[in-house]
């Protein structure tokens, strides 16, 4: 079970500091509108909002805003039809099952304590805007009243708000045993109450206005500004709290001029948080919590804009980096940002990027187009949306990107969705972030719309073996040391001498983004060392991407004493790892990675799972003999994989791997059981209500698709039973579906669903669902399609001695040679004085591409292919008679390319570009000299 977003909060590893709050300020920000409404919607914009809600014209992005409003109103009506809000949860404990049951039904009474479980925050679930929460109801009812003027919505909103005014406080008094006086619950409650006050102001009595206003000041703004500086400014808690106070301050300023001081303080706190982001871009807490942070601030930005408050936040340089960060880390095939640290791969930062796109950023709009974020949904998106202001334009820059401060890099073949992408993490160097993992020098790979080499995602909090595996180095594609039986049965994380022991200490030291080759190097030795124990002296990991085909990983390790080093390669519970000669295939539903890993000493290979965390799936571990120094050289070739059977783990033999269940109060209804499965040893059980959604997959439009599953149920009322549905997704929304059922029968029966993939489909999933007073069981689920199974291309590899390898793939031979900078290294027909040289031959065996890292020349077959005037890094690509060259002497991340570089290339060409500009070709004895200038 995963804890709500607040857990592992924010405070971990960061020094607490208390800074004087806004109360000390003599003046405040009273600029802009001071009338109602002004939060997100101004009085003079209300007519335009209502017109937008009535506009059924399909816009250039393929939707109409009247339908968006209809969905919002439908949600408000559905929530209004529900009983009084109530929430209950069985609060889990570490390795002890459950600590206590907690429940609350909304009233004037403050929710009860949960003193047996001070580490768990049940109030967070009540106040985050989930499908049904206090804030979801309050904001939806208030907005529905604002648009329609209908009394029923106002009365629903007022009932909730007045209950909240009677609470003694807006933060959980039991969480952290009362040490925290304002938390995520406070921030969410405060901005929702601010919206209610502003949007429903005209219907509130004078007494009710005062009651809500007093609560906003004493239970929201004041405690937030007294406590927020106890949170590091680069964390989501800081952002949610600051946003809550900012929105509430804007709401009450017309009647409470003192709130201007609070607003001024909030604006400066937002600036402080932006100051603490990565100086070259990115969120330290990772994509998931970074989204929580910046998308919370997006609400504040919207409120500041609607109220016309004067500020300079949009001029902050951090916001200028966000388009590069989001686009650089967006996988072209999955359309997701990878999940380094706590989280899972997903579409991040949509709300903030919509704010920037509406302000004219064409790159932000292009990101939204790629990530499915141009079609708006929900209140905040609808209010903000202006079709005329959105202009998606694909950037001209290379999306292979590096963000040194946070420690992320992407190796991509431009915007090519048919090529694999690798995302790398090493860092941050000094910032200790609680939501980060022990995963420096780790990587993930996307291919064919899947994360085939993946991160373990949000770490487990309650099952110690799962916690160690998902949080520690062992669960990531990095290196661990000296593993034995004791290590696998000790749940301590981190484990000094084996794992990384710091969430900081790694650093990306080198980066090169080319057209034909990318290179990144991370350094992570210090992450393994404590004040008392020097474990590693060197752990440098360099990765070269030979576009668009494969990656080569080169690890250099050194230690004061001998260790058995283990290279780790991870997939998930849906994948299989199988030997293939001296290599391995990592196979998922639609993708596969050929992995061949060599080392400088003898190795043993293990395909294993972690004891007590088996459902995370298998991983490959290649372990050396004891040595003080070692190198690993790993060839990773991701490629599409076809199989007539698309689903994996359709029989639930690996538990829930590959299946998503309905969470919240329905979560406990889902179980994997061994009683009477249809086949194998176990099946899925579902009581009362819930669903099992498969992982999403893709198929061509028009494909005939057949889903099968075996089902049985208890005795059920007529018309109730189990359902099987295929959902078709576009831009993150299921826009079409086909179902069969309901089925109700006590014996196992197979049911079949057949349909074709509709136009516009990006992803597909199978859903096994149930709702009724009884139980159902599912087993043997399958999905088949009438697409031909494509043969996998052949790959041939051979060693070029201890320093190189030869790869033959689809007629192209690539020779990869590692050396020592400044020293001559020969392997096969390649000679270089660089750290790395790659020579790629065309189908006729002629050199067509060459890459040099950290040297002055590359020679092939006795002829110089590339020479530099002084050691540096360069690539040369020949296409027909055109030569494209990029050269730099400095691969420190963000170092500018040399303006006056000159390179000699042993390839015949008639025209050339050098560092993206037209260049002169001057004949020389080694080929042609490429010089700046046409």
């Amino acid at each position: 079970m995963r804890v709500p977003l607040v857990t592992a909060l924010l405070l971990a590893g960061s020094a607490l500091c208390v800074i004087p709050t806004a109360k000390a300020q003599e003046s405040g920000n009273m600029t802009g509108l001071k009338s109602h409404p002004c939060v997100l919607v101004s009085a003079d914009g209300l007519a335009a909002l209502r017109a937008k809600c009535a506009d059924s014209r399909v816009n250039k992005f393929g939707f109409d805003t009247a339908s968006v409003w209809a969905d919002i109103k439908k949600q408000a009506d559905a929530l209004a039809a529900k009983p009084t809000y109530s929430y209950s949860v069985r609060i889990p404990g570490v390795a002890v099952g459950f600590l206590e049951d907690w429940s609350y039904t909304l009233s004037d009474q403050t929710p009860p304590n949960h003193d047996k479980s001070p580490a768990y925050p049940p109030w967070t679930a009540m106040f985050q805007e989930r499908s049904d929460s206090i804030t979801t109801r309050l904001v939806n009812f208030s907005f529905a009243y604002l648009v329609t003027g209908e009394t029923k919505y106002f009365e629903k909103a007022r009932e909730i708000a007045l209950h909240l005014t009677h609470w003694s406080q807006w933060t959980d008094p039991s969480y952290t045993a009362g040490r925290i006086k304002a938390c995520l619950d406070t921030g969410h409650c405060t901005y929702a109450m601010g919206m209610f006050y502003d949007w429903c102001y005209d219907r509130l009595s004078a007494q009710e206005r005062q009651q809500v206003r007093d609560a906003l000041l004493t239970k929201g703004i004041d405690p937030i500004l007294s406590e927020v500086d106890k949170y590091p400014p680069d964390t989501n808690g800081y952002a949610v709290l600051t946003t809550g106070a900012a929105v509430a301050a804007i709401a009450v300023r017309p009647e409470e001029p003192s709130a201007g001081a609070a607003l001024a303080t909030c604006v400066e706190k937002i600036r402080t948080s932006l100051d603490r982001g990565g100086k070259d871009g990115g969120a330290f807490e990772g994509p998931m919590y970074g989204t929580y942070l910046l998308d919370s601030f997006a609400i504040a930005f919207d409120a500041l804009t609607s109220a016309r408050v004067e500020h300079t936040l949009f001029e902050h340089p951090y916001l200028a980096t966000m388009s590069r960060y989001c686009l650089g880390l967006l996988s072209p095939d999955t359309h997701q940002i990878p999940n380094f640290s706590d989280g899972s791969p997903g579409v991040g930062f949509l709300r903030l990027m919509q704010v920037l796109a509406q302000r004219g950023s064409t790159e932000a709009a292009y990101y939204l187009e790629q990530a499915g974020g141009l079609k708006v949904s929900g209140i905040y998106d609808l209010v903000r949306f202006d079709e005329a202001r959105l202009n998606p334009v694909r950037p001209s820059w290379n999306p292979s990107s590096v963000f040194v401060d946070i420690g992320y890099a992407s190796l991509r073949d431009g915007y090519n969705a048919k090529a694999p992408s690798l995302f790398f993490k090493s860092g941050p160097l000094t910032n200790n972030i609680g939501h980060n993992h022990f995963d420096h020098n780790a990587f993930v790979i996307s291919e064919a719309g899947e994360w085939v080499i993946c991160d373990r995602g949000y770490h487990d909090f309650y099952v110690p073996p799962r916690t160690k595996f998902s949080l520690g180095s062992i669960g990531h594609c990095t290196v661990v040391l000296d593993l034995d039986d004791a290590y696998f049965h000790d749940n301590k994380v981190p484990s000094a001498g084996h794992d990384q022991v710091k969430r900081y200490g790694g650093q990306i030291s080198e980066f090169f983004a080319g057209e034909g080759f990318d290179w990144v190097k991370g350094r992570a030795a210090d992450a393994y060392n404590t004040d008392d124990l020097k474990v590693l002296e060197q752990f440098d990991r360099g990765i070269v991407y030979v576009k668009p085909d494969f990656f080569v990983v080169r690890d250099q390790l050194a230690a004061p004493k001998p260790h058995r080093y283990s290279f780790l390669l991870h997939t998930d519970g849906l994948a299989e790892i199988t030997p293939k000669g001296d290599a391995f295939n990592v196979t998922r539903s639609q993708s596969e990675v050929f992995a061949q890993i060599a080392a400088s000493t003898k190795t043993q290979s293990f395909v294993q799972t972690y004891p007590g965390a088996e459902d995370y799936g298998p991983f490959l571990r290649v372990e050396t003999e004891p040595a003080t120094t070692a190198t690993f050289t790993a060839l990773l070739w991701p490629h599409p994989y076809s199989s007539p059977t698309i689903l994996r783990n359709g029989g639930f033999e690996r538990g829930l791997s590959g299946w998503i269940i309905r969470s919240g109060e329905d979560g406990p209804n889902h179980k994997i059981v061994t009683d009477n499965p249809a086949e194998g040893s176990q099946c899925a059980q579902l009581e009362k209500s819930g669903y099992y959604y498969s992982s999403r997959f893709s198929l061509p439009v028009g494909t005939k698709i057949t889903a099968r599953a075996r089902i049985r149920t208890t005795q059920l009322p007529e018309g109730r039973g189990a359902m099987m549905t295929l959902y078709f997704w576009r831009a993150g929304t299921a826009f079409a579906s086909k179902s069969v059922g309901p089925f109700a029968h006590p014996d196992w029966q197979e049911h079949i669903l057949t349909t074709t993939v509709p136009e516009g489909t990006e992803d597909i999933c199978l859903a096994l669902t149930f709702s009724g007073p009884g139980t159902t069981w599912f087993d043997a689920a399958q999905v088949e399609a009438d697409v031909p199974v494509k043969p996998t291309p052949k790959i041939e590899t051979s060693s070029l001695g201890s320093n190189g390898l030869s790869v033959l793939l689809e007629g192209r031979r690539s020779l990869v040679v590692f050396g020592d900078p400044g020293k001559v290294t020969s392997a096969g027909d390649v000679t270089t004085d660089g750290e790395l040289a790659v020579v790629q031959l065309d189908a006729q065996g002629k050199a067509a591409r060459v890459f040099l890292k950290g040297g002055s020349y590359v020679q092939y077959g006795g002829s110089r292919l590339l020479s530099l005037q002084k050691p540096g890094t360069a690539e040369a690509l020949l296409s027909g008679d055109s030569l494209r060259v990029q050269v730099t002497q400095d691969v420190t991340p963000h170092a500018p390319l040399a303006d006056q570089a000159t390179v000699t290339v042993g390839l015949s060409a008639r025209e050339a570009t050098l560092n993206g500009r037209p260049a002169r070709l001057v004949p020389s004895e080694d080929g042609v000299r490429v010089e700046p200038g046409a």
Side-chain angles (χ1 to χ4, degrees):
M1 179 176 180
R2 288 179 178 172
V3 76
L5 293 175
V6 67
T7 310
L9 193 78
L10 326 174
L11 305 177
S14 298
L16 302 184
C17 59
V18 179
I19 301 172
T21 70
K23 295 178 180 178
Q25 295 191 6
E26 295 181 359
S27 61
N29 191 331
M30 291 295 288
T31 62
L33 301 179
K34 293 174 284 295
S35 58
H36 301 289
C38 62
V39 174
L40 306 186
V41 181
S42 62
D44 58 0
L46 189 53
L49 171 64
R50 289 169 175 164
K52 195 188 303 185
C53 292
D55 187 0
S56 59
R57 174 188 57 87
V58 176
N59 57 42
K60 66 183 180 182
F61 302 116
F63 68 96
D64 65 277
T65 50
S67 295
V68 178
W69 157 244
D71 289 341
I72 295 169
K73 185 175 182 297
K74 182 179 178 181
Q75 183 184 22
D77 290 337
L79 292 170
K82 286 178 173 285
T84 301
Y85 177 80
S86 184
Y87 177 70
S88 60
V89 62
R90 299 199 73 192
I91 298 178
V94 177
V96 295
F98 297 95
L99 297 173
E100 58 183 312
D101 291 318
W102 187 89
S103 63
Y104 174 70
T105 299
L106 184 62
S107 69
D108 288 351
Q109 297 298 315
T110 305
N113 287 359
H114 54 97
D115 296 331
K116 294 179 182 178
S117 52
Y120 191 89
W123 284 36
T124 301
M126 295 199 300
F127 283 103
Q128 284 176 329
E129 288 189 66
R130 304 181 178 193
S131 60
D132 183 13
S133 69
I134 294 172
T135 48
T136 300
R137 294 189 183 203
L138 183 57
V139 173
N140 274 268
F141 295 152
S142 301
F143 185 73
Y145 169 71
L146 182 69
V147 174
T148 67
E150 294 183 22
T151 299
K152 64 178 182 179
Y153 297 119
F154 165 71
E155 290 176 345
K156 283 287 184 180
R158 178 178 59 182
E159 180 183 10
I160 294 171
L162 294 184
H163 281 319
L164 293 173
T165 63
H166 287 96
W167 288 18
S168 61
Q169 61 191 69
W170 288 348
T171 197
D172 184 346
S174 294
Y175 182 56
T176 69
R179 292 192 304 275
I180 291 178
K181 306 300 182 184
C183 197
L184 296 178
D185 43 17
T186 322
H188 286 294
C189 181
T190 302
Y191 76 64
M193 285 288 280
M195 291 172 189
F196 162 76
Y197 177 82
D198 182 62
W199 294 345
C200 297
Y201 183 85
D202 65 320
R203 288 294 300 272
L204 291 168
S205 69
Q207 187 275 331
E208 288 168 340
R209 292 170 183 171
Q210 186 68 53
Q211 185 174 335
V212 175
R213 196 162 58 242
D214 288 346
L216 280 167
L217 292 166
T218 61
K219 298 178 175 68
I221 295 173
D222 286 350
I224 285 174
L225 295 184
S226 296
E227 294 288 306
V228 66
D229 289 315
K230 294 180 180 179
Y231 293 75
D234 46 20
T235 59
N236 62 83
Y238 186 95
V240 172
L241 286 166
T242 303
T243 292
V247 170
I250 292 171
V252 302
R253 279 192 319 161
E255 294 73 46
E256 290 284 348
S258 63
L263 180 60
T265 298
C266 290
V267 169
E268 290 310 306
K269 291 189 182 303
I270 294 172
R271 191 186 317 281
T272 297
S273 182
L274 298 179
D275 288 344
R276 285 282 295 271
K279 295 299 179 289
D280 57 351
F284 279 102
E285 281 196 311
M288 179 172 167
Y289 280 90
T291 296
Y292 195 9
L293 184 155
L294 288 167
D295 280 6
S296 295
F297 280 147
I299 298 176
F301 291 148
D302 283 339
L304 291 166
T305 300
S306 65
R308 302 174 196 168
V309 175
E310 295 177 7
H311 65 91
T312 59
L313 293 174
F314 287 124
E315 299 169 16
H316 197 285
Y318 181 60
L319 296 182
T321 69
M322 282 307 300
S323 295
R324 179 99 199 197
Y325 170 78
C326 288
L327 279 169
L329 291 177
L330 187 73
S331 166
D333 60 330
T334 66
H335 301 290
Q336 295 177 324
I337 294 176
N339 62 305
F340 294 122
S341 69
D342 281 347
S344 57
V347 178
F349 309 95
L350 287 183
R351 193 178 291 166
L352 176 70
M353 296 301 281
Q354 286 164 351
V355 170
L356 299 180
Q358 292 285 1
R359 291 183 57 81
S361 170
T362 60
E363 294 178 355
Y366 180 74
Y367 169 77
L368 293 172
E369 183 178 68
Q370 296 300 297
L374 285 175
K375 181 179 180 181
V376 303
S377 62
I379 292 169
Y380 307 121
D381 293 353
L382 177 63
V383 170
R384 186 187 310 113
F385 179 74
D386 184 345
E387 176 187 4
R389 291 177 175 268
L390 294 173
N391 181 28
V393 178
R394 192 173 90 174
S396 58
W397 39 262
N398 186 339
S400 296
S401 302
V402 63
F403 306 95
V404 179
D405 264 18
I406 61 172
Y408 292 4
S410 63
L411 310 185
R412 296 175 39 169
D413 185 31
Y415 296 93
N416 182 5
K418 294 184 178 180
S421 300
L422 182 147
F423 301 88
F424 180 73
K425 180 178 185 292
S426 191
L429 181 62
T430 58
N431 196 356
N432 186 17
I433 297 294
H435 281 298
N436 278 353
H437 295 179
F438 300 95
D439 60 352
H440 303 286
N441 279 4
F443 58 86
V444 296
I445 296 175
S446 70
E447 166 65 31
E450 296 180 329
W451 294 100
V452 58
I453 303 298
C454 62
D455 188 281
R456 296 304 177 179
Y458 206 120
H459 82 272
D460 191 285
F461 284 88
Y462 299 110
V463 182
R466 292 173 55 85
T467 301
K468 178 179 179 178
F469 188 67
S470 56
L471 177 63
S473 303
I474 184 65
H476 300 82
C477 294
T478 185
V479 168
V480 291
L481 289 68
D482 300 326
L483 303 192
D484 53 22
D485 287 343
Y487 174 85
F488 284 106
H489 291 92
D490 179 2
N491 295 322
K492 182 180 179 182
V493 57
S495 181
H498 303 284
D499 304 328
Q500 296 169 21
V501 295
K502 300 172 186 172
R503 290 184 172 94
Y504 61 95
Q507 183 178 33
I508 296 176
S509 58
E510 296 178 359
F511 186 78
F512 175 89
E515 184 180 342
F517 305 89
D518 285 344
W519 166 261
V520 68
K521 178 181 279 189
R523 292 179 172 164
D526 188 55
Y528 293 78
N529 301 327
T530 68
D531 292 340
D532 303 320
L533 182 63
K534 180 88 167 189
V535 178
L536 286 182
E537 295 168 336
Q538 181 184 27
F539 174 23
D540 291 355
R541 168 166 283 180
I543 304 177
V544 60
Y545 184 7
V546 181
K547 302 182 184 182
D549 295 325
F550 61 85
F551 306 93
V552 180
V553 181
R554 178 76 164 187
D555 290 342
Q556 296 172 290
L557 295 135
K561 65 177 186 179
H563 293 286
R564 290 177 288 112
Y565 304 97
S566 286
F567 179 103
L568 302 174
L569 193 65
H570 284 273
T571 184
D572 63 12
L574 289 177
E576 297 173 355
I577 304 176
T578 54
K580 185 178 181 180
D582 62 347
F584 294 85
N585 278 346
V586 181
T587 308
R588 212 172 178 274
S589 299
Q590 300 177 110
S591 58
E592 188 172 69
V593 173
F594 172 89
Q596 191 170 47
I597 301 156
S600 55
T601 71
K602 276 189 174 183
T603 61
Q604 282 187 293
S605 298
F606 306 86
V607 176
Q608 60 189 116
T609 56
Y610 193 85
E614 291 84 358
D615 62 338
Y616 277 114
F619 62 97
L620 172 63
R621 181 167 68 90
V622 179
E623 183 182 66
T624 69
E625 291 183 334
T628 55
T629 63
T631 62
F632 286 107
T633 305
L635 168 67
L636 304 175
W637 171 46
H639 53 273
Y641 170 79
S642 345
S643 168
T645 303
I646 294 170
L647 280 193
R648 292 183 175 270
N649 195 32
F652 299 92
E653 297 303 306
R654 302 180 195 171
L656 286 174
S657 292
W659 294 94
I660 298 169
I661 65 171
R662 186 171 183 176
S663 58
E665 61 186 21
D666 280 340
N669 300 346
H670 306 72
K671 296 177 182 177
I672 303 299
V673 298
T674 58
D675 179 36
N676 187 24
E679 63 180 34
S681 60
Q682 54 192 32
C683 61
Q685 176 182 294
L686 189 48
E687 296 177 311
K688 298 179 182 177
S689 63
Y691 55 67
Y692 294 93
Y693 276 34
S694 75
S695 292
R696 296 185 193 178
F697 52 90
S698 59
L699 290 169
V701 170
T703 300
K704 181 180 177 181
I705 180 172
T706 300
R708 307 170 187 269
R710 299 185 70 179
I711 297 171
R712 67 181 176 94
T713 70
T714 55
Q715 188 71 33
L716 297 172
E718 184 176 350
R720 305 299 289 272
M723 301 277 294
M724 183 164 57
T725 303
L726 284 166
Y727 285 106
F728 301 95
W729 300 79
R730 179 177 59 229
T733 300
F735 71 95
S737 64
K738 180 70 179 290
S739 299
V740 291
F743 304 111
H745 40 74
D747 57 326
W748 284 108
Q749 294 182 26
E750 183 178 70
H751 296 282
I752 300 174
L753 168 60
T754 300
T755 187
T756 56
V757 178
E759 189 73 34
T761 298
E762 295 176 353
D763 298 296
I764 308 165
C765 77
L766 174 67
L768 307 174
T769 64
F770 177 67
S771 177
T775 304
T776 189
W777 292 264
F778 299 102
D779 205 353
Q782 300 179 48
V783 174
E784 300 168 347
D786 66 347
V787 292
V789 176
K790 297 179 181 178
T792 300
K794 280 189 174 182
I795 186 170
E796 296 180 10
T797 65
S798 58
S799 170
L800 300 177
S802 60
N803 293 311
L805 67 154
S806 169
V807 181
L808 179 62
L809 182 60
E810 296 188 298
R812 298 185 300 272
R813 184 174 295 279
S814 299
L815 307 173
V816 182
V817 176
F818 288 93
D820 294 318
K823 296 182 180 180
V824 176
T825 300
S826 293
D829 291 329
V830 177
T831 302
T832 184
D833 66 345
E835 179 181 352
L836 169 66
V838 183
V839 176
Q840 194 168 61
L841 312 179
D842 62 19
Q844 287 72 45
K846 295 182 180 179
R849 293 183 169 196
V850 60
F851 176 64
L852 170 65
K853 158 64 183 62
S856 60
Y857 74 91
V858 177
Q859 186 170 299
Y860 172 69
S863 300
R864 289 282 177 105
L865 284 184
L866 191 148
S867 301
L868 301 178
Q869 291 177 319
K870 57 183 180 179
T873 296
E875 69 171 10
L877 317 176
L878 182 64
S879 178
D881 290 332
S882 179
L883 185 63
R884 299 184 304 281
V885 179
Q886 184 169 307
V887 59
T888 180
Q889 267 68 56
D890 188 355
V891 287
T892 303
H894 307 301
L897 296 174
D899 288 333
Q900 299 299 318
T902 298
V903 58
T904 301
V905 180
L907 303 174
S908 178
R910 292 185 178 180
E911 60 182 17
T913 59
L914 178 60
N915 290 347
R917 300 174 182 176
R920 292 194 304 269
L921 292 175
V922 180
S924 74
E925 62 181 22
D926 290 325
V928 291
R929 191 166 64 250
V930 185
E931 298 179 343

